[in-house]
Amino acid sequence: DAWGGLLGEGALVHLSAGSGSAWLVLRERVGDRWQAAATAISGSFDSGAQCARFHPFDGQLYVTGMQGWGSYTPDDGCFHRVRHTGGAPVPVAFETRENGVLLRFDQPVPESAADPAASFAQCWDYRYSAAYGSPEYSLRHPDAPGHDPLEIRSVQRLEGGRALFLEIPQLVPAGQVHLRLATGRDIFLTVHELGEPFADFPGYTRIPKTLPSAQDGPMVPTPTQANAWAEGPEGRRIVVEAAAGLLFAPKELRAKAGERITLVFRNPDALPHNWLLARPGSLQRLGDLCNRMIADPSALARHYVPESEDALVWTDMVAPGGEFAIHFDAPAAPGEYPYLCTFPGHWMVMNGVLRVE
């Protein structure tokens, strides 16, 4: 309640550890489907925001965070209080309609907010799969990365200024719809369904759609080539598992130089993992290549294995509850050979060593 009604109707506060920010998330149900809109809360955190609680006495939000992989924040840790002090109007509810988006605010917006020339809308799509994220794809050209601009035909200031209707005739379901209001506020929506057209304003005209809808379902890339070590004569059997906390069990293996090995990698974890054996001294170098694959749309098809001479043998990426076996000869040269999971970010803790004697 200390936030002035900003969290009514089931709204949420979402934290971004990567950007050190907090977001107000509004929810909407159209038919049987839920969808949401997000807008940033003013201010930023000094470290990767991770945990938050509303205090039972003062009603304000307390946030702790710490630096980690994938965070662009400056400090090692932080402890912040976020207070609601009023100020600029903040959206508290939204409705996605066949012909635009209706936004309601905690206080009246200025008359200048109804200027369509000072507003902006665009959309793009994501490809849902087991890959780590997705490029942003055009809906008009589905195989091409890019955004599609959306015409804002008018902006209607309603309910004494506490609501805005952005008339967008070509609005369609999309992975992301980005609205930039004339007030300077950005709002991001995931649109699965459109409600009935909003017609309660002068000049309403039903306009046919020409922009296609986003794809709504999994698109799973297939491997570019079969695993070279999945077939062949078997050797001494070794079982390695993915343990809780991004760990391998065991973290150390031993083999004789040139020994034939059959390695069975089991994944009882809730995340996908693989097992890759690398050249001595290459863990950091190879791990950096793994992290960069987060932005590679072909990474899943390659099982997140970087193209590198440091990579010796590997399993396929194994889904939760699965297993994969490979058969290979241990390296001929004695030494300590690191093994790791190459899923982006996992390798820093999910690694071990094969000692060849």
Side-chain angles (χ1 to χ4, degrees):
D1 295 337
W3 275 31
L6 295 188
L7 297 177
E9 300 184 23
L12 309 170
V13 173
H14 173 71
L15 302 177
S16 169
S19 63
S21 60
W23 294 73
L24 186 65
V25 179
L26 312 175
R27 299 189 296 163
E28 178 196 27
R29 187 171 183 173
V30 180
D32 294 331
R33 302 197 71 177
W34 285 96
Q35 52 200 24
T39 186
I41 295 173
S42 299
S44 59
F45 303 110
D46 292 334
S47 196
Q50 295 178 344
C51 298
R53 296 289 186 276
F54 280 96
H55 200 289
F57 297 111
D58 67 5
Q60 307 298 347
L61 184 70
Y62 288 79
V63 179
T64 63
M66 64 181 180
Q67 187 60 264
W69 176 79
S71 181
Y72 301 99
T73 49
D75 291 351
D76 289 336
C78 71
F79 177 52
H80 291 281
R81 179 181 63 177
V82 184
R83 295 184 298 124
H84 177 255
T85 59
V90 177
V92 294
F94 79 104
E95 297 177 16
T96 309
R97 300 298 192 98
E98 183 70 28
N99 58 332
V101 179
L102 180 65
L103 298 166
R104 290 188 169 85
F105 296 83
D106 67 326
Q107 57 185 290
V109 298
E111 293 184 3
S112 60
D115 181 5
S119 307
F120 174 74
Q122 62 178 341
C123 64
W124 61 89
D125 191 23
Y126 301 115
R127 290 190 174 176
Y128 292 90
S129 73
Y132 199 136
S134 166
E136 298 171 358
Y137 288 99
S138 164
L139 276 70
R140 196 174 299 278
H141 307 284
D143 292 328
H147 296 177
D148 299 304
L150 296 169
E151 178 196 10
I152 300 179
R153 191 166 183 262
S154 69
V155 178
Q156 308 293 327
R157 187 172 178 267
L158 309 168
E159 301 175 12
R162 286 182 172 266
L164 288 176
F165 178 69
L166 281 71
E167 184 187 9
I168 309 173
Q170 295 304 316
L171 182 67
V172 293
Q176 197 88 133
V177 175
H178 171 209
L179 305 178
R180 180 69 183 266
L181 306 184
T183 61
R185 177 172 291 277
D186 291 290
I187 302 175
F188 299 88
L189 305 90
T190 294
V191 179
H192 299 303
E193 300 284 348
L194 302 176
E196 292 297 318
F198 184 77
D200 191 16
F201 63 93
Y204 164 70
T205 303
R206 188 164 191 136
I207 299 174
K209 304 282 187 184
T210 61
L211 190 68
S213 297
Q215 69 90 16
D216 189 10
M219 298 181 67
V220 182
T222 56
T224 54
Q225 60 184 16
N227 189 295
W229 302 279
E231 303 293 339
E234 297 188 4
R236 180 168 63 91
R237 182 182 173 90
I238 297 176
V239 177
V240 177
E241 290 193 348
L246 295 183
L247 297 174
F248 280 122
K251 286 182 64 69
E252 180 177 323
L253 301 173
R254 293 182 179 272
K256 295 179 180 179
E259 181 184 6
R260 187 68 177 174
I261 298 292
T262 291
L263 185 134
V264 180
F265 176 58
R266 294 174 178 165
N267 183 18
D269 196 20
L271 298 172
H273 300 294
N274 68 351
W275 184 94
L276 179 144
L277 185 68
R279 294 183 187 277
S282 67
L283 180 62
Q284 180 69 47
R285 183 168 61 245
L286 193 58
D288 289 342
L289 294 177
C290 295
N291 287 349
R292 294 177 193 174
M293 297 191 79
I294 189 173
D296 185 348
S298 68
L300 178 62
R302 290 160 42 201
H303 295 278
Y304 289 100
V305 175
E307 294 182 357
S308 171
E309 294 182 353
D310 290 325
L312 300 179
V313 300
W314 55 85
T315 70
D316 285 2
M317 190 63 62
V318 180
E323 68 175 47
F324 195 88
I326 57 175
H327 316 281
F328 63 96
D329 295 329
E336 296 186 354
Y337 292 78
Y339 55 85
L340 62 150
C341 172
T342 63
F343 198 85
H346 290 190
W347 68 272
M348 289 183 290
V349 289
M350 197 167 182
N351 61 73
V353 62
L354 171 65
R355 302 185 188 279
V356 177
E357 303 166 338

